Amino acid sequence: MTVNLKGKIDIVSRTHEGRVRDHNEDYISDNATLGIALLADGMGGLNAGEIASSMSVNLLMEELIAYRLGDSALAAEMGHNESKLPIEAQVVRRAVEKANEAVFHVSQTQPQYRGMGTTVVASLFYDNKVAIAHIGDSRVYRFRSGKLEQITKDHSFVQELIDKGLFS
C-alpha cells in the first residue's frame, strides 16, 4: 500500500505565535511523498500546550506513516467495522482519537502536565482526495487556481456565535 505522491501535491505550512503570546506552541509536520500534513496548536494559557501539540503530531505521524507503509494495526481495525467512510478517513479519525487518548492520559497521570491540551489538524491525501480531521480553531485552507479557500470550520465559542448571527 506504499503511496508516492512526490511531485503530485505541494504542502505548505506556516505558523506564528500571534500578537498575544511570547512563544509558539504550534507543532507542524508533513510528508508530501506519503500525502500527510499535520498541525497542532497547544492551547495557550493552559499548562504544557507545547508538549500536547508536539506529542499529538508525533503520534499522528507515526500512525499515518505506518498505515501508508502497510504496517498498521489501524487499517486492520478499520477494515472490520460497518462504517461507510473511506478507509483513509477512518484511519485519520482513529489516529486522532488515539493521540487524544495519549495526551489525556499524560495530563491525568503527570501533575506537571495537568490540563494540557491542543488543537489538531490531520490530513491524508489519497486517490485525488483528502481525508481531514480537525479539532479546535486551527484551520485547513486550499489554494487552487489562484484562490485561497478555507476548508475547515472552527470549533469554538466565537464560531458558534457567528453561526447564530450574534457576532460578525
Side-chain angles (χ1 to χ4, degrees):
M1 146 127 352
T2 302
V3 171
N4 186 344
L5 296 174
K6 188 172 185 167
K8 306 252 192 262
I9 61 171
D10 292 317
I11 297 173
V12 178
S13 53
R14 183 166 181 180
T15 180
H16 188 277
E17 68 274 0
R19 297 180 181 161
V20 177
R21 308 265 178 241
D22 63 354
H23 68 286
N24 195 341
E25 295 185 348
D26 298 351
Y27 201 87
I28 298 174
S29 186
D30 66 72
N31 184 319
T33 301
L34 296 178
I36 301 167
L38 307 168
L39 172 135
D41 178 8
M43 291 165 35
L46 295 180
N47 192 25
E50 66 280 1
I51 303 299
S53 62
S54 65
M55 187 176 162
S56 293
V57 167
N58 287 323
L59 290 167
L60 284 163
M61 186 59 82
E62 225 175 79
E63 289 287 347
L64 296 177
I65 286 175
Y67 168 71
R68 282 296 204 206
L69 298 179
D71 185 28
S72 172
L74 278 183
E77 180 184 330
M78 299 301 107
H80 298 298
N81 68 27
E82 301 295 319
S83 177
K84 296 192 184 335
L85 289 174
I87 188 77
E88 291 81 5
Q90 294 177 58
V91 165
V92 171
R93 175 194 284 170
R94 185 64 187 124
V96 169
E97 289 170 350
K98 287 178 74 172
N100 179 63
E101 290 163 5
V103 168
F104 183 73
H105 175 75
V106 169
S107 78
Q108 296 298 300
T109 59
Q110 298 186 32
Q112 70 272 29
Y113 300 138
R114 185 156 313 279
M116 72 176 178
T118 186
T119 68
V120 169
V121 172
S123 304
L124 181 65
F125 293 83
Y126 69 99
D127 297 333
N128 209 23
K129 299 174 187 162
V130 61
I132 298 172
H134 78 108
I135 300 167
D137 61 359
S138 293
R139 298 177 180 163
V140 173
Y141 292 86
R142 174 179 64 193
F143 187 72
R144 180 186 281 173
S145 303
K147 294 183 181 168
L148 190 64
E149 177 185 6
Q150 184 177 334
I151 301 297
T152 58
K153 186 174 174 181
D154 292 357
H155 301 126
S156 69
F157 179 66
V158 170
Q159 186 64 52
E160 283 185 40
L161 293 175
I162 292 170
D163 292 348
K164 291 178 180 176
L166 301 172
F167 192 75
S168 62

PDB file of all heavy atoms in Angstrom, residues 133-158:
ATOM      1  N   ALA A 133      -9.229  15.524   9.487  1.00  0.00           N
ATOM      2  CA  ALA A 133      -9.819  15.545  10.826  1.00  0.00           C
ATOM      3  C   ALA A 133      -9.301  16.802  11.503  1.00  0.00           C
ATOM      4  O   ALA A 133      -8.121  17.138  11.368  1.00  0.00           O
ATOM      5  CB  ALA A 133      -9.416  14.300  11.610  1.00  0.00           C
ATOM      6  N   HIS A 134     -10.173  17.497  12.206  1.00  0.00           N
ATOM      7  CA  HIS A 134      -9.690  18.674  12.926  1.00  0.00           C
ATOM      8  C   HIS A 134     -10.516  18.893  14.179  1.00  0.00           C
ATOM      9  O   HIS A 134     -11.695  18.547  14.247  1.00  0.00           O
ATOM     10  CB  HIS A 134      -9.674  19.917  12.031  1.00  0.00           C
ATOM     11  CG  HIS A 134     -11.012  20.551  11.837  1.00  0.00           C
ATOM     12  ND1 HIS A 134     -11.355  21.745  12.423  1.00  0.00           N
ATOM     13  CD2 HIS A 134     -12.091  20.173  11.139  1.00  0.00           C
ATOM     14  CE1 HIS A 134     -12.586  22.071  12.084  1.00  0.00           C
ATOM     15  NE2 HIS A 134     -13.058  21.133  11.301  1.00  0.00           N
ATOM     16  N   ILE A 135      -9.831  19.434  15.163  1.00  0.00           N
ATOM     17  CA  ILE A 135     -10.441  19.748  16.451  1.00  0.00           C
ATOM     18  C   ILE A 135      -9.938  21.127  16.845  1.00  0.00           C
ATOM     19  O   ILE A 135      -8.734  21.382  16.835  1.00  0.00           O
ATOM     20  CB  ILE A 135     -10.023  18.715  17.526  1.00  0.00           C
ATOM     21  CG1 ILE A 135     -10.461  17.318  17.124  1.00  0.00           C
ATOM     22  CG2 ILE A 135     -10.582  19.096  18.885  1.00  0.00           C
ATOM     23  CD1 ILE A 135      -9.844  16.212  17.948  1.00  0.00           C
ATOM     24  N   GLY A 136     -10.850  22.008  17.168  1.00  0.00           N
ATOM     25  CA  GLY A 136     -10.452  23.329  17.636  1.00  0.00           C
ATOM     26  C   GLY A 136     -10.483  24.370  16.540  1.00  0.00           C
ATOM     27  O   GLY A 136     -11.225  24.262  15.567  1.00  0.00           O
ATOM     28  N   ASP A 137      -9.636  25.383  16.687  1.00  0.00           N
ATOM     29  CA  ASP A 137      -9.669  26.509  15.761  1.00  0.00           C
ATOM     30  C   ASP A 137      -8.438  26.617  14.871  1.00  0.00           C
ATOM     31  O   ASP A 137      -8.167  27.673  14.306  1.00  0.00           O
ATOM     32  CB  ASP A 137      -9.906  27.811  16.516  1.00  0.00           C
ATOM     33  CG  ASP A 137      -8.820  28.112  17.533  1.00  0.00           C
ATOM     34  OD1 ASP A 137      -7.880  27.307  17.685  1.00  0.00           O
ATOM     35  OD2 ASP A 137      -8.919  29.159  18.204  1.00  0.00           O
ATOM     36  N   SER A 138      -7.714  25.550  14.703  1.00  0.00           N
ATOM     37  CA  SER A 138      -6.660  25.507  13.678  1.00  0.00           C
ATOM     38  C   SER A 138      -7.335  25.132  12.373  1.00  0.00           C
ATOM     39  O   SER A 138      -8.282  24.342  12.361  1.00  0.00           O
ATOM     40  CB  SER A 138      -5.587  24.485  14.050  1.00  0.00           C
ATOM     41  OG  SER A 138      -4.887  24.913  15.199  1.00  0.00           O
ATOM     42  N   ARG A 139      -6.871  25.695  11.284  1.00  0.00           N
ATOM     43  CA  ARG A 139      -7.607  25.595  10.027  1.00  0.00           C
ATOM     44  C   ARG A 139      -6.813  24.941   8.897  1.00  0.00           C
ATOM     45  O   ARG A 139      -5.595  24.979   8.872  1.00  0.00           O
ATOM     46  CB  ARG A 139      -8.011  26.989   9.558  1.00  0.00           C
ATOM     47  CG  ARG A 139      -8.913  27.684  10.516  1.00  0.00           C
ATOM     48  CD  ARG A 139      -9.220  29.069  10.034  1.00  0.00           C
ATOM     49  NE  ARG A 139     -10.106  29.744  10.991  1.00  0.00           N
ATOM     50  CZ  ARG A 139     -10.278  31.038  11.013  1.00  0.00           C
ATOM     51  NH1 ARG A 139      -9.656  31.801  10.139  1.00  0.00           N
ATOM     52  NH2 ARG A 139     -11.085  31.560  11.899  1.00  0.00           N
ATOM     53  N   VAL A 140      -7.588  24.422   7.942  1.00  0.00           N
ATOM     54  CA  VAL A 140      -7.040  23.930   6.685  1.00  0.00           C
ATOM     55  C   VAL A 140      -7.578  24.833   5.580  1.00  0.00           C
ATOM     56  O   VAL A 140      -8.772  25.131   5.540  1.00  0.00           O
ATOM     57  CB  VAL A 140      -7.469  22.470   6.400  1.00  0.00           C
ATOM     58  CG1 VAL A 140      -7.032  22.032   5.006  1.00  0.00           C
ATOM     59  CG2 VAL A 140      -6.920  21.536   7.447  1.00  0.00           C
ATOM     60  N   TYR A 141      -6.660  25.266   4.713  1.00  0.00           N
ATOM     61  CA  TYR A 141      -7.017  26.051   3.543  1.00  0.00           C
ATOM     62  C   TYR A 141      -6.535  25.314   2.300  1.00  0.00           C
ATOM     63  O   TYR A 141      -5.571  24.556   2.352  1.00  0.00           O
ATOM     64  CB  TYR A 141      -6.328  27.421   3.574  1.00  0.00           C
ATOM     65  CG  TYR A 141      -6.816  28.332   4.666  1.00  0.00           C
ATOM     66  CD1 TYR A 141      -6.273  28.268   5.946  1.00  0.00           C
ATOM     67  CD2 TYR A 141      -7.809  29.273   4.421  1.00  0.00           C
ATOM     68  CE1 TYR A 141      -6.719  29.106   6.951  1.00  0.00           C
ATOM     69  CE2 TYR A 141      -8.256  30.118   5.426  1.00  0.00           C
ATOM     70  CZ  TYR A 141      -7.700  30.031   6.685  1.00  0.00           C
ATOM     71  OH  TYR A 141      -8.137  30.862   7.672  1.00  0.00           O
ATOM     72  N   ARG A 142      -7.217  25.569   1.189  1.00  0.00           N
ATOM     73  CA  ARG A 142      -6.777  25.024  -0.094  1.00  0.00           C
ATOM     74  C   ARG A 142      -6.507  26.197  -1.025  1.00  0.00           C
ATOM     75  O   ARG A 142      -7.313  27.122  -1.122  1.00  0.00           O
ATOM     76  CB  ARG A 142      -7.863  24.136  -0.695  1.00  0.00           C
ATOM     77  CG  ARG A 142      -7.521  23.655  -2.102  1.00  0.00           C
ATOM     78  CD  ARG A 142      -8.574  22.765  -2.668  1.00  0.00           C
ATOM     79  NE  ARG A 142      -9.816  23.505  -2.822  1.00  0.00           N
ATOM     80  CZ  ARG A 142     -10.980  22.935  -3.068  1.00  0.00           C
ATOM     81  NH1 ARG A 142     -11.080  21.632  -3.166  1.00  0.00           N
ATOM     82  NH2 ARG A 142     -12.061  23.669  -3.204  1.00  0.00           N
ATOM     83  N   PHE A 143      -5.371  26.129  -1.703  1.00  0.00           N
ATOM     84  CA  PHE A 143      -5.039  27.126  -2.705  1.00  0.00           C
ATOM     85  C   PHE A 143      -5.142  26.443  -4.063  1.00  0.00           C
ATOM     86  O   PHE A 143      -4.400  25.510  -4.345  1.00  0.00           O
ATOM     87  CB  PHE A 143      -3.624  27.671  -2.476  1.00  0.00           C
ATOM     88  CG  PHE A 143      -3.290  28.816  -3.387  1.00  0.00           C
ATOM     89  CD1 PHE A 143      -3.863  30.061  -3.204  1.00  0.00           C
ATOM     90  CD2 PHE A 143      -2.394  28.636  -4.432  1.00  0.00           C
ATOM     91  CE1 PHE A 143      -3.555  31.118  -4.044  1.00  0.00           C
ATOM     92  CE2 PHE A 143      -2.078  29.683  -5.269  1.00  0.00           C
ATOM     93  CZ  PHE A 143      -2.657  30.932  -5.087  1.00  0.00           C
ATOM     94  N   ARG A 144      -6.100  26.882  -4.849  1.00  0.00           N
ATOM     95  CA  ARG A 144      -6.325  26.269  -6.166  1.00  0.00           C
ATOM     96  C   ARG A 144      -6.743  27.358  -7.144  1.00  0.00           C
ATOM     97  O   ARG A 144      -7.579  28.199  -6.816  1.00  0.00           O
ATOM     98  CB  ARG A 144      -7.409  25.207  -6.064  1.00  0.00           C
ATOM     99  CG  ARG A 144      -7.692  24.516  -7.390  1.00  0.00           C
ATOM    100  CD  ARG A 144      -8.856  23.577  -7.296  1.00  0.00           C
ATOM    101  NE  ARG A 144      -8.426  22.337  -6.665  1.00  0.00           N
ATOM    102  CZ  ARG A 144      -9.271  21.368  -6.330  1.00  0.00           C
ATOM    103  NH1 ARG A 144     -10.562  21.505  -6.540  1.00  0.00           N
ATOM    104  NH2 ARG A 144      -8.828  20.268  -5.773  1.00  0.00           N
ATOM    105  N   SER A 145      -6.146  27.326  -8.313  1.00  0.00           N
ATOM    106  CA  SER A 145      -6.486  28.280  -9.374  1.00  0.00           C
ATOM    107  C   SER A 145      -6.405  29.719  -8.877  1.00  0.00           C
ATOM    108  O   SER A 145      -7.272  30.545  -9.184  1.00  0.00           O
ATOM    109  CB  SER A 145      -7.884  27.998  -9.935  1.00  0.00           C
ATOM    110  OG  SER A 145      -7.958  26.679 -10.420  1.00  0.00           O
ATOM    111  N   GLY A 146      -5.394  30.019  -8.081  1.00  0.00           N
ATOM    112  CA  GLY A 146      -5.178  31.380  -7.603  1.00  0.00           C
ATOM    113  C   GLY A 146      -6.094  31.829  -6.491  1.00  0.00           C
ATOM    114  O   GLY A 146      -6.082  33.000  -6.118  1.00  0.00           O
ATOM    115  N   LYS A 147      -6.908  30.925  -5.942  1.00  0.00           N
ATOM    116  CA  LYS A 147      -7.837  31.299  -4.871  1.00  0.00           C
ATOM    117  C   LYS A 147      -7.554  30.494  -3.612  1.00  0.00           C
ATOM    118  O   LYS A 147      -7.352  29.281  -3.660  1.00  0.00           O
ATOM    119  CB  LYS A 147      -9.280  31.056  -5.314  1.00  0.00           C
ATOM    120  CG  LYS A 147      -9.710  31.959  -6.441  1.00  0.00           C
ATOM    121  CD  LYS A 147     -11.146  31.739  -6.806  1.00  0.00           C
ATOM    122  CE  LYS A 147     -11.501  32.664  -7.964  1.00  0.00           C
ATOM    123  NZ  LYS A 147     -12.763  32.334  -8.576  1.00  0.00           N
ATOM    124  N   LEU A 148      -7.593  31.193  -2.477  1.00  0.00           N
ATOM    125  CA  LEU A 148      -7.422  30.565  -1.171  1.00  0.00           C
ATOM    126  C   LEU A 148      -8.798  30.342  -0.566  1.00  0.00           C
ATOM    127  O   LEU A 148      -9.597  31.276  -0.454  1.00  0.00           O
ATOM    128  CB  LEU A 148      -6.576  31.460  -0.259  1.00  0.00           C
ATOM    129  CG  LEU A 148      -6.118  30.860   1.055  1.00  0.00           C
ATOM    130  CD1 LEU A 148      -5.187  29.681   0.818  1.00  0.00           C
ATOM    131  CD2 LEU A 148      -5.415  31.918   1.901  1.00  0.00           C
ATOM    132  N   GLU A 149      -9.088  29.096  -0.181  1.00  0.00           N
ATOM    133  CA  GLU A 149     -10.400  28.747   0.349  1.00  0.00           C
ATOM    134  C   GLU A 149     -10.240  28.039   1.695  1.00  0.00           C
ATOM    135  O   GLU A 149      -9.471  27.091   1.815  1.00  0.00           O
ATOM    136  CB  GLU A 149     -11.098  27.803  -0.639  1.00  0.00           C
ATOM    137  CG  GLU A 149     -12.424  27.302  -0.187  1.00  0.00           C
ATOM    138  CD  GLU A 149     -13.009  26.265  -1.152  1.00  0.00           C
ATOM    139  OE1 GLU A 149     -12.346  25.855  -2.116  1.00  0.00           O
ATOM    140  OE2 GLU A 149     -14.147  25.837  -0.901  1.00  0.00           O
ATOM    141  N   GLN A 150     -10.972  28.510   2.699  1.00  0.00           N
ATOM    142  CA  GLN A 150     -10.966  27.851   3.999  1.00  0.00           C
ATOM    143  C   GLN A 150     -11.799  26.579   3.887  1.00  0.00           C
ATOM    144  O   GLN A 150     -12.944  26.610   3.476  1.00  0.00           O
ATOM    145  CB  GLN A 150     -11.544  28.773   5.078  1.00  0.00           C
ATOM    146  CG  GLN A 150     -11.474  28.184   6.463  1.00  0.00           C
ATOM    147  CD  GLN A 150     -11.985  29.127   7.540  1.00  0.00           C
ATOM    148  OE1 GLN A 150     -11.953  30.341   7.378  1.00  0.00           O
ATOM    149  NE2 GLN A 150     -12.447  28.565   8.632  1.00  0.00           N
ATOM    150  N   ILE A 151     -11.215  25.446   4.270  1.00  0.00           N
ATOM    151  CA  ILE A 151     -11.867  24.148   4.142  1.00  0.00           C
ATOM    152  C   ILE A 151     -12.560  23.743   5.444  1.00  0.00           C
ATOM    153  O   ILE A 151     -13.650  23.187   5.425  1.00  0.00           O
ATOM    154  CB  ILE A 151     -10.837  23.058   3.750  1.00  0.00           C
ATOM    155  CG1 ILE A 151     -10.156  23.404   2.416  1.00  0.00           C
ATOM    156  CG2 ILE A 151     -11.477  21.684   3.697  1.00  0.00           C
ATOM    157  CD1 ILE A 151     -11.086  23.455   1.227  1.00  0.00           C
ATOM    158  N   THR A 152     -11.932  23.998   6.570  1.00  0.00           N
ATOM    159  CA  THR A 152     -12.499  23.592   7.854  1.00  0.00           C
ATOM    160  C   THR A 152     -13.196  24.774   8.525  1.00  0.00           C
ATOM    161  O   THR A 152     -12.959  25.929   8.198  1.00  0.00           O
ATOM    162  CB  THR A 152     -11.408  23.044   8.797  1.00  0.00           C
ATOM    163  OG1 THR A 152     -10.404  24.053   8.983  1.00  0.00           O
ATOM    164  CG2 THR A 152     -10.779  21.778   8.236  1.00  0.00           C
ATOM    165  N   LYS A 153     -14.045  24.454   9.465  1.00  0.00           N
ATOM    166  CA  LYS A 153     -14.785  25.451  10.232  1.00  0.00           C
ATOM    167  C   LYS A 153     -14.378  25.304  11.697  1.00  0.00           C
ATOM    168  O   LYS A 153     -14.353  24.199  12.225  1.00  0.00           O
ATOM    169  CB  LYS A 153     -16.276  25.175  10.060  1.00  0.00           C
ATOM    170  CG  LYS A 153     -17.177  26.199  10.664  1.00  0.00           C
ATOM    171  CD  LYS A 153     -18.606  25.859  10.268  1.00  0.00           C
ATOM    172  CE  LYS A 153     -19.595  26.746  10.938  1.00  0.00           C
ATOM    173  NZ  LYS A 153     -20.959  26.379  10.572  1.00  0.00           N
ATOM    174  N   ASP A 154     -14.059  26.428  12.332  1.00  0.00           N
ATOM    175  CA  ASP A 154     -13.577  26.408  13.718  1.00  0.00           C
ATOM    176  C   ASP A 154     -14.577  25.742  14.661  1.00  0.00           C
ATOM    177  O   ASP A 154     -15.790  25.916  14.525  1.00  0.00           O
ATOM    178  CB  ASP A 154     -13.316  27.824  14.232  1.00  0.00           C
ATOM    179  CG  ASP A 154     -12.147  28.500  13.542  1.00  0.00           C
ATOM    180  OD1 ASP A 154     -11.492  27.869  12.693  1.00  0.00           O
ATOM    181  OD2 ASP A 154     -11.890  29.677  13.863  1.00  0.00           O
ATOM    182  N   HIS A 155     -14.039  25.004  15.604  1.00  0.00           N
ATOM    183  CA  HIS A 155     -14.818  24.501  16.735  1.00  0.00           C
ATOM    184  C   HIS A 155     -14.514  25.442  17.892  1.00  0.00           C
ATOM    185  O   HIS A 155     -13.563  25.229  18.637  1.00  0.00           O
ATOM    186  CB  HIS A 155     -14.389  23.080  17.123  1.00  0.00           C
ATOM    187  CG  HIS A 155     -14.539  22.087  16.026  1.00  0.00           C
ATOM    188  ND1 HIS A 155     -13.507  21.295  15.612  1.00  0.00           N
ATOM    189  CD2 HIS A 155     -15.600  21.754  15.263  1.00  0.00           C
ATOM    190  CE1 HIS A 155     -13.925  20.511  14.646  1.00  0.00           C
ATOM    191  NE2 HIS A 155     -15.189  20.770  14.410  1.00  0.00           N
ATOM    192  N   SER A 156     -15.299  26.507  18.013  1.00  0.00           N
ATOM    193  CA  SER A 156     -15.036  27.491  19.062  1.00  0.00           C
ATOM    194  C   SER A 156     -16.334  28.197  19.446  1.00  0.00           C
ATOM    195  O   SER A 156     -17.315  28.195  18.689  1.00  0.00           O
ATOM    196  CB  SER A 156     -14.012  28.531  18.590  1.00  0.00           C
ATOM    197  OG  SER A 156     -14.567  29.349  17.575  1.00  0.00           O
ATOM    198  N   PHE A 157     -16.314  28.823  20.603  1.00  0.00           N
ATOM    199  CA  PHE A 157     -17.453  29.591  21.072  1.00  0.00           C
ATOM    200  C   PHE A 157     -17.729  30.757  20.124  1.00  0.00           C
ATOM    201  O   PHE A 157     -18.883  31.039  19.789  1.00  0.00           O
ATOM    202  CB  PHE A 157     -17.199  30.089  22.498  1.00  0.00           C
ATOM    203  CG  PHE A 157     -18.328  30.907  23.055  1.00  0.00           C
ATOM    204  CD1 PHE A 157     -19.566  30.330  23.300  1.00  0.00           C
ATOM    205  CD2 PHE A 157     -18.151  32.254  23.333  1.00  0.00           C
ATOM    206  CE1 PHE A 157     -20.617  31.082  23.811  1.00  0.00           C
ATOM    207  CE2 PHE A 157     -19.194  33.010  23.844  1.00  0.00           C
ATOM    208  CZ  PHE A 157     -20.433  32.421  24.080  1.00  0.00           C
ATOM    209  N   VAL A 158     -16.678  31.418  19.667  1.00  0.00           N
ATOM    210  CA  VAL A 158     -16.843  32.544  18.742  1.00  0.00           C
ATOM    211  C   VAL A 158     -17.521  32.074  17.459  1.00  0.00           C
ATOM    212  O   VAL A 158     -18.431  32.729  16.948  1.00  0.00           O
ATOM    213  CB  VAL A 158     -15.484  33.220  18.445  1.00  0.00           C
ATOM    214  CG1 VAL A 158     -15.614  34.227  17.319  1.00  0.00           C
ATOM    215  CG2 VAL A 158     -14.940  33.893  19.695  1.00  0.00           C
TER     216      VAL A 158
END
